[in-house]
Amino acid sequence: MSAAAAAKGKGKVVKKKKTSEKKQYHYKLVLSDTCGVCKTPCERGMNYWRRMQEPGAVGKGVPCILTRTYK
């Protein structure tokens, strides 16, 4: 009976994945000219595009949600 009681409480052992092993999203950085001609404009891209239209604006791009991939 003690062997049955001991086996009853045990479950399947599941190893947790480390943070480095989990799939992560990766986005491409796009510039304002790409956001300006996008067929499906997003709020972030349009805000960036408007900011870059001002004289003297300097930008390095925004992550585009349409180019999301897993790695």
Side-chain angles (χ1 to χ4, degrees), residues 36-57:
V37 297
C38 184
K39 293 180 182 177
T40 54
C42 62
E43 189 67 29
R44 179 193 283 175
M46 290 295 99
N47 287 339
Y48 177 69
W49 181 75
R50 278 189 229 103
R51 285 195 314 262
M52 293 300 109
Q53 297 303 311
E54 296 176 10

Side-chain angles (χ1 to χ4, degrees), residues 15-68:
K15 289 186 178 180
K16 290 187 178 181
K17 290 185 178 182
K18 296 178 184 176
T19 347
S20 60
E21 294 175 356
K22 292 182 181 178
K23 288 187 177 182
Q24 294 182 351
Y25 294 125
H26 290 273
Y27 301 93
K28 289 184 181 177
L29 289 177
V30 295
L31 300 176
S32 62
D33 56 341
T34 307
C35 291
V37 297
C38 184
K39 293 180 182 177
T40 54
C42 62
E43 189 67 29
R44 179 193 283 175
M46 290 295 99
N47 287 339
Y48 177 69
W49 181 75
R50 278 189 229 103
R51 285 195 314 262
M52 293 300 109
Q53 297 303 311
E54 296 176 10
V58 177
K60 296 184 179 183
V62 291
C64 180
I65 61 171
L66 301 174
T67 61
R68 182 173 77 174

